Amino acid sequence: MNEHLGWEQPEYINQNMVHEFRGYQEEALRYFHYSQVNEVFKFRNINHVLFNMATGSGKTDLMAGLILYLYQEHDYQNFLFFVNTNSVLNKTIDNLTNKKSEKYLYNSEIEIEGERITIERVKTFPRTQSKNTIYIKLSSVQNIASDIFTQSENSMGKDDYARNKVAILGDEAHHYSASTKSEKELEQSWEKAISIILGAREDNRLLEFTATVDLENKSIYEKYKDKVIYRYALDRFIQDRFSKNVKRIQSSNTDEENMLNVVLLSEFRRRYAHELYRTYVKPVIMFKSQRIDASNEANQTFNTLIDSLTPQLIREFLLRQEHVGNERESETLSIAHEYYRKNDSELDQIVREIKREFSPGRVINANDSDRGAGMLEKGQYEALNSLESPANLYRVIFAVAKLTEGWDVLNLYDIVRISNYKDTKGDKKTTMAEAQLIGRGARYNPFILDGQKQYTRRFDEREDVTPSLILETLHYHTINEPQYLKNLVEALNDMNLPTGTDEKNPLIDIRVKKKFTKTDVWKYGKVYYNQSVEITDDYYDGLDKYGIDNRSDIVIPWIFSSQEVGYKDNIVNGNYVNTKNMAIEVDRRYYEKAMNRLTFYHFDNLKRYLPQLQSRAELLEEKWLNLHNRTIYAVTPISMKQVDLTPMEKLKIIETYLLEIAQKIKKGYSNERGTGKFIGYPVKEYITDYRKRVPNYDTSNLLRERNPQKVQRFVIDEDYFVYDSAIINLTEKQLVDRIGERVAELKKQYSDVYLIRMDENMHRESAKNAALKLHQFSEHTQDVHFERFQPDFILYLQNAEFFVQVFIEPKGINLLEQEQWKEDLLTYINENEAELLFEDDVQGVKIKGLKFYTINDGRGTMKQLAQVVLGHDFDGLTMHNQIELQDE
């Protein structure tokens, strides 16, 4: 039972927090809720969980929401937060307890169900606790452990954590596993101290958070194998557009030349944002060194460079860079350099602005302390954590080991690796630290554009707006040393951080072949997609319109047999051996109580999804849930008797049922849905030339999992392929070739045989793009998806009698399950061909859909193609097929 999927995030979280939860944060909260209330975990006491979430994804926001959730739903008043660095600690103090801070995550007044809630920062939890009060103790893990082991006066020992239940929030959790320590050290370790606090009471809870968990380490794996409750990796974070893009600029320049390059680039970013979009962006540069003396030396070199900068020096530098340019030259630097060449007459003014923007007073040297105390004394800690503020004028940071954790700067756009130290190759530890720093720097900077502040990337590198991309791209400027680059790429891969070299990567013209434009297919042909219609509120007059059965009895899997549930499991399936269906005797009060407990069933929310519902009481009547005419059963062990179920357990059973119904209602409601009527769109208007880039990311496991083969441009000369080339992966190219091998046989029945690559870039910014999509026939499916779907290929077949259009979608094997609904949509077309209608009752049109094509046709898609368009199998295998099958 997917209770966690149907659970609604409580309104008190949305209403009391400054930031609205993103989808993945809501999902993380749902998974935690599920672990605490579902009967699957009834006998396991899930008291220790780990949230493995990307740097910059808002772990502290999630913590803030979890504090409210645990307070309201599970009666926790005492919260212990710890971390291993002062920088993160001080940031979190502001986040959770300092109302005057710009970083405070709650509204100034917190109210839940009409009660005013106070958050009080404490050093020790009070013995007598006030109503409507949340107590938060924030400390370093070092101090927490010291208090546990020394039992000093005014400190908190084990007994203090046993007095009242405590929820423990451990940030940067990868530091708390003492796998390499000696037995004596283990007895006094941070890990041991945390374990003592957790074990002080059975209902104490430990929630750990980290972006980094090394599950390849056996001891780490054993510790966390059943505790990782939610994972949101950095690659997903970047692909979901919540971060900047990340590009590497590899250079053989000297450090001083790299400094000038990055200053010119940084100023170009600032000027470009102002001149084109009339918006203020203050880009920050960080110079990263391996040693403090090297960093301090680089700081002096930088100050001297800025002080001695002249227009003539810039001209000479740009001339040298132009002479050393080559095919692998950075596209971004080329654009910046060209800007200064075109604005040569303004170089005097530009130099004056550079000298002001990058003066020593706007440079922070963060090398005075490893833990942040020194910077606090000089006020620079606050400056480092408010760099995006318009009142903060700092533009440059020099650092070594600092800022790898807990640094929340959003407008860091350039990180430059200083090379003037002996170890230029970089060991694994060094490059991993650099990769982690890049991950932190990738946080998105929500600049204002057209009066709007947006928190996801606006621009797309597939479009011809390359200069705008610099406002959403972090550049890591590296030395051009082969072994170092190899180690860095390996570290980036280990982090699943998608990056690529910043090389010239022009848009490629994908053109319709001239020969094809002379055919009748081009002149008169059409491609067909099913029409969607607007759904009015009148349609939703009963639960049957949401795909919900409100006539049959209700069976709820309640008591599950013993089973292990892995942290990667999204769906928990019950094993129903030796069980029975037990009728549950409940009256209307149970349903009303359950609805009071579930946010979804508050009437104002119900009206959003059930517009015809007149009152919440009506929901229980015949037209809707029809409870008077149905019996509810719980799946229980054979040995269980009716009297064994307590009123609370019965209430939980009703909640489980209502959560399932809530999920189905939400999925079944839409203002638009697909129909069986297909509309034809003229080929010559919709199959057009377009432009696209070849993706040049070379790191990240997720990209390889979603797209196992490298995407590249293939020139396809054969007449059956409509375009002159295609930017596709090897599975897609294999599909193209396999159809090409069968063109001769297809032409025995069809005079016209054409394969069309349906690329989303064809009409990316126009209404045409929305038209060329399939809509799910949602009234005929239980798995509702209202997003539109564009199959990658159309096979266009025509003879004198009729026209056949076949939708084909290549798919990586790893994506088959999660995108099954797309294949179901294609299969539905075949199975319900007689029900399909066409505009103007056009005759002689057939629409077909194939199951997903996978590498080496492992699912027999080509055989299915032959059957649906020829009525028999293709004649034998070609030599190319035989070789591929042998390779398998």
Side-chain angles (χ1 to χ4, degrees):
M1 187 63 58
N2 286 337
E3 181 176 328
H4 64 300
L5 296 177
W7 183 71
E8 282 280 303
Q9 177 175 297
E11 276 301 307
Y12 59 77
I13 292 180
N14 300 326
Q15 293 168 353
N16 287 299
M17 292 186 60
V18 172
H19 303 139
E20 183 178 345
F21 264 25
R22 294 170 176 171
Y24 59 85
Q25 291 167 324
E26 288 185 1
E27 192 172 55
L29 181 58
R30 284 201 302 273
Y31 273 66
F32 179 71
H33 164 77
Y34 179 66
S35 75
Q36 300 302 298
V37 304
N38 193 274
E39 286 296 311
V40 170
F41 303 107
K42 183 175 181 179
F43 303 107
R44 294 183 60 186
N45 184 28
I46 305 300
N47 67 345
H48 181 188
V49 297
L50 176 74
F51 295 87
N52 178 204
M53 299 175 67
T55 294
S57 62
K59 294 191 295 294
T60 315
D61 273 299
L62 177 59
M63 285 184 210
L66 283 163
I67 288 171
L68 296 184
Y69 165 82
L70 284 165
Y71 167 80
Q72 180 64 16
E73 307 295 336
H74 300 283
D75 301 320
Y76 283 82
Q77 285 188 258
N78 301 294
F79 294 85
L80 169 66
F81 172 90
F82 59 77
V83 72
N84 68 310
T85 62
N86 285 335
S87 57
V88 180
L89 177 61
N90 287 305
K91 178 203 72 169
T92 311
I93 290 171
D94 284 347
N95 290 155
L96 299 180
T97 64
N98 184 3
K99 288 186 178 182
K100 296 180 181 180
S101 171
E102 293 181 1
K103 304 277 186 178
Y104 188 58
L105 297 178
Y106 297 113
N107 293 334
S108 57
E109 301 296 340
I110 300 175
E111 188 174 294
I112 301 178
E113 295 185 355
E115 300 282 349
R116 186 68 57 83
I117 308 302
T118 300
I119 292 182
E120 185 177 332
R121 182 185 170 194
V122 297
K123 292 184 178 180
T124 60
F125 297 128
R127 290 177 177 270
T128 303
Q129 306 209 323
S130 301
K131 183 182 176 183
N132 298 341
T133 303
I134 293 172
Y135 301 101
I136 305 181
K137 174 180 171 63
L138 301 101
S139 179
S140 68
V141 68
Q142 295 92 328
N143 287 339
I144 294 293
S146 176
D147 288 349
I148 287 291
F149 296 129
T150 62
Q151 301 286 309
S152 59
E153 189 176 357
N154 295 323
S155 66
M156 290 193 67
K158 179 180 177 179
D159 291 343
D160 298 295
Y161 292 106
R163 186 174 300 110
N164 295 294
K165 62 183 179 181
V166 178
I168 310 159
L169 308 173
D171 201 7
E172 306 296 351
H174 52 283
H175 291 292
Y176 310 138
S177 295
S179 58
T180 60
K181 294 183 179 294
S182 67
E183 186 173 338
K184 182 177 179 181
E185 289 173 322
L186 282 170
E187 285 302 311
Q188 299 286 310
S189 69
W190 299 344
E191 187 175 27
K192 181 67 173 179
I194 297 166
S195 178
I196 289 171
I197 296 171
L198 178 60
R201 281 178 64 112
E202 184 179 359
D203 50 2
N204 281 356
R205 294 284 180 267
L206 171 59
L207 286 62
E208 292 188 288
F209 302 81
T210 183
T212 307
V213 56
D214 184 12
L215 295 178
E216 298 299 319
N217 181 307
K218 185 177 179 181
S219 62
I220 302 295
Y221 172 77
E222 288 299 324
K223 178 179 178 179
Y224 287 113
K225 65 181 180 181
D226 59 350
K227 296 180 177 63
V228 182
I229 196 164
Y230 189 75
R231 305 189 77 176
Y232 188 70
L234 186 59
D235 46 9
R236 270 191 64 195
F237 184 62
I238 291 177
Q239 284 214 334
D240 289 347
R241 304 179 72 85
F242 287 116
S243 75
K244 304 185 189 85
N245 285 305
V246 181
K247 294 291 185 180
R248 307 190 308 271
I249 295 178
Q250 297 164 193
S251 170
S252 299
N253 287 338
T254 65
D255 283 336
E256 192 169 1
E257 289 172 326
N258 281 339
M259 287 177 178
L260 183 51
N261 243 338
V262 76
V263 165
L264 293 176
L265 175 56
S266 185
E267 269 300 273
F268 173 59
R269 290 186 207 268
R270 184 181 70 85
R271 287 172 153 263
Y272 182 84
H274 176 71
E275 293 172 6
L276 187 64
Y277 297 119
R278 292 292 183 264
T279 191
Y280 174 73
V281 174
K282 185 197 71 176
V284 170
I285 304 169
M286 178 180 177
F287 292 98
K288 175 73 168 65
S289 300
Q290 183 67 6
R291 299 197 320 266
I292 289 179
D293 58 346
S295 183
N296 292 336
E297 182 182 339
N299 192 167
Q300 292 299 318
T301 301
F302 180 83
N303 290 343
T304 301
L305 170 68
I306 299 302
D307 183 61
S308 60
L309 194 63
T310 64
Q312 185 57 30
L313 191 152
I314 292 178
R315 292 188 186 100
E316 292 171 357
F317 174 76
L318 294 176
L319 185 62
R320 289 198 305 274
Q321 295 301 302
E322 190 174 25
H323 288 162
V324 300
N326 55 54
E327 292 183 359
R328 296 180 65 83
E329 181 182 6
S330 161
E331 182 175 37
T332 305
L333 287 179
S334 297
I335 293 170
H337 292 169
E338 187 59 27
Y339 170 84
Y340 292 108
R341 292 188 185 104
K342 287 182 178 179
N343 291 277
D344 184 83
S345 61
E346 299 181 30
L347 279 181
D348 285 342
Q349 176 63 24
I350 289 172
V351 167
R352 283 194 294 272
E353 291 183 8
I354 288 176
K355 285 177 177 289
R356 180 192 69 228
E357 291 288 320
F358 297 95
S359 64
R362 299 191 181 187
V363 176
I364 296 178
N365 188 310
N367 293 311
D368 60 332
S369 167
D370 189 41
R371 295 292 175 191
M375 287 191 297
L376 280 170
E377 293 171 7
K378 297 192 296 187
Q380 290 187 330
Y381 168 76
E382 289 84 353
L384 280 169
N385 281 278
S386 62
L387 284 166
E388 59 267 27
S389 170
N392 185 316
L393 301 180
Y394 288 103
R395 291 287 299 274
V396 179
I397 300 157
F398 285 86
V400 175
K402 194 165 294 300
L403 312 177
T404 54
E405 290 178 356
W407 194 37
D408 282 337
V409 67
L410 304 179
N411 55 334
L412 178 66
Y413 280 96
D414 294 281
I415 302 174
V416 185
R417 185 186 192 269
I418 297 298
S419 64
N420 57 351
Y421 54 85
K422 295 179 181 179
D423 179 19
T424 59
K425 294 184 179 181
D427 58 23
K428 185 174 181 179
K429 182 178 178 181
T430 299
T431 50
M432 178 54 73
E434 292 177 20
Q436 290 171 346
L437 176 61
I438 294 170
R440 299 206 70 81
R443 292 168 184 252
Y444 186 72
N445 184 32
F447 58 90
I448 295 174
L449 185 62
D450 297 329
Q452 298 293 320
K453 182 177 282 192
Q454 185 169 311
Y455 293 86
T456 55
R457 293 197 301 274
R458 293 176 166 95
F459 306 115
D460 195 311
E461 61 182 333
R462 291 174 291 186
E463 302 166 12
D464 196 8
V465 290
T466 302
S468 298
L469 294 176
I470 69 169
L471 302 180
E472 299 185 330
T473 302
L474 169 74
H475 282 96
Y476 188 64
H477 304 252
T478 76
I479 58 175
N480 196 12
E481 202 286 324
Q483 185 59 47
Y484 162 74
L485 292 174
K486 179 176 180 293
N487 292 340
L488 178 63
V489 166
E490 287 177 357
L492 293 166
N493 266 326
D494 288 343
M495 282 190 63
N496 284 347
L497 203 167
T499 70
T501 54
D502 188 294
E503 300 173 4
K504 289 188 174 180
N505 185 25
L507 286 160
I508 295 172
D509 289 306
I510 310 294
R511 302 183 185 280
V512 177
K513 289 174 181 170
K514 286 284 199 306
K515 189 172 182 178
F516 179 69
T517 62
K518 297 176 182 178
T519 65
D520 286 347
V521 173
W522 166 263
K523 295 174 183 177
Y524 311 112
K526 293 182 177 182
V527 290
Y528 287 83
Y529 291 83
N530 66 321
Q531 186 181 37
S532 66
V533 294
E534 182 180 351
I535 300 297
T536 64
D537 288 350
D538 294 340
Y539 173 80
Y540 293 103
D541 58 1
L543 284 185
D544 59 311
K545 298 298 178 63
Y546 300 81
I548 296 172
D549 176 9
N550 67 344
R551 298 298 164 188
S552 303
D553 288 335
I554 304 161
V555 180
I556 300 298
W558 178 238
I559 304 298
F560 294 80
S561 64
S562 177
Q563 62 175 346
E564 286 296 316
V565 180
Y567 66 79
K568 294 182 180 179
D569 290 346
N570 287 337
I571 298 174
V572 179
N573 297 309
N575 176 359
Y576 304 112
V577 177
N578 296 322
T579 61
K580 65 179 180 182
N581 291 353
M582 178 189 293
I584 306 300
E585 297 178 3
V586 293
D587 57 34
R588 188 184 183 98
R589 292 174 300 170
Y590 280 89
Y591 288 95
E592 291 175 344
K593 177 69 173 177
M595 288 193 293
N596 288 336
R597 289 163 62 97
L598 299 173
T599 306
F600 178 84
Y601 288 93
H602 294 180
F603 185 66
D604 56 347
N605 187 68
L606 281 174
K607 283 291 285 184
R608 290 172 53 197
Y609 298 101
L610 304 172
Q612 294 297 307
L613 189 69
Q614 298 304 309
S615 68
R616 199 174 74 164
E618 185 189 0
L619 182 64
L620 305 179
E621 304 303 330
E622 183 175 356
K623 187 169 67 169
W624 302 100
L625 289 175
N626 190 27
L627 295 176
H628 297 301
N629 301 312
R630 306 166 74 193
T631 301
I632 186 164
Y633 294 92
V635 179
T636 66
I638 289 177
S639 59
M640 177 170 279
K641 299 178 182 179
Q642 187 78 39
V643 294
D644 291 338
L645 287 176
T646 67
M648 183 56 68
E649 286 174 326
K650 291 180 180 180
L651 181 62
K652 284 289 187 180
I653 291 170
I654 301 303
E655 281 190 10
T656 301
Y657 169 64
L658 291 179
L659 285 166
E660 180 182 359
I661 293 298
Q663 178 186 350
K664 290 181 177 179
I665 289 174
K666 286 189 292 182
K667 291 183 68 178
Y669 177 78
S670 175
N671 294 323
E672 178 186 55
R673 68 181 54 195
T675 70
K677 184 177 180 179
F678 279 74
I679 306 297
Y681 301 92
V683 169
K684 65 181 178 182
E685 295 180 19
Y686 285 81
I687 308 304
T688 59
D689 297 347
Y690 63 94
R691 310 182 79 198
K692 187 175 182 178
R693 286 187 175 87
V694 177
N696 67 342
Y697 284 92
D698 57 12
T699 63
S700 165
N701 291 333
L702 179 64
L703 289 180
R704 286 198 294 271
E705 289 169 3
R706 294 190 63 86
N707 199 358
Q709 307 94 20
K710 182 179 180 182
V711 175
Q712 53 193 299
R713 183 192 185 193
F714 293 95
V715 175
I716 304 170
D717 293 326
E718 290 81 359
D719 291 344
Y720 74 92
F721 198 77
V722 165
Y723 286 99
D724 60 3
S725 61
I727 297 176
I728 52 181
N729 65 28
L730 295 180
T731 297
E732 294 165 334
K733 178 60 165 62
Q734 188 186 85
L735 170 66
V736 172
D737 291 341
R738 289 204 167 187
I739 289 177
E741 292 166 354
R742 291 157 173 84
V743 168
E745 190 170 349
L746 290 169
K747 283 198 171 184
K748 293 176 183 178
Q749 288 195 29
Y750 302 95
S751 55
D752 295 307
V753 178
Y754 292 103
L755 185 63
I756 307 172
R757 165 65 167 169
M758 302 301 297
D759 198 299
E760 301 237 359
N761 278 59
M762 286 193 296
H763 310 290
R764 189 163 188 83
E765 294 301 320
S766 71
K768 289 182 178 181
N769 187 50
L772 299 189
K773 297 283 180 70
L774 284 176
H775 301 75
Q776 189 180 55
F777 307 93
S778 51
E779 65 270 25
H780 298 290
T781 181
Q782 294 181 345
D783 188 15
V784 179
H785 289 265
F786 288 114
E787 62 264 43
R788 299 158 178 172
F789 165 44
Q790 168 65 284
D792 287 339
F793 292 91
I794 285 177
L795 181 61
Y796 189 108
L797 306 171
Q798 184 168 289
N799 57 27
E801 298 177 13
F802 56 87
F803 154 66
V804 182
Q805 175 181 306
V806 186
F807 289 112
I808 313 175
E809 173 79 357
K811 192 66 61 183
I813 293 174
N814 60 302
L815 298 176
L816 293 180
E817 184 175 348
Q818 69 186 74
E819 301 197 3
Q820 180 62 43
W821 70 271
K822 296 181 180 179
E823 185 174 84
D824 292 342
L825 192 161
L826 298 177
T827 301
Y828 175 88
I829 293 174
N830 293 345
E831 295 174 348
N832 297 272
E833 186 174 5
E835 300 175 18
L836 303 184
L837 303 174
F838 295 90
E839 61 176 341
D840 301 325
D841 295 323
V842 63
Q843 300 297 308
V845 176
K846 297 181 179 181
I847 307 295
K848 303 289 185 180
L850 302 184
K851 57 190 172 184
F852 291 149
Y853 177 89
T854 57
I855 191 71
N856 290 336
D857 196 16
R859 305 172 80 238
T861 309
M862 288 295 101
K863 181 176 182 179
Q864 185 191 16
L865 172 63
Q867 291 169 345
V868 299
V869 302
L870 298 178
H872 58 77
D873 290 348
F874 286 117
D875 295 335
L877 292 172
T878 65
M879 181 60 68
H880 177 69
N881 297 141
Q882 293 170 5
I883 292 172
E884 285 185 332
L885 291 175
Q886 289 169 5
D887 288 344
E888 284 188 272

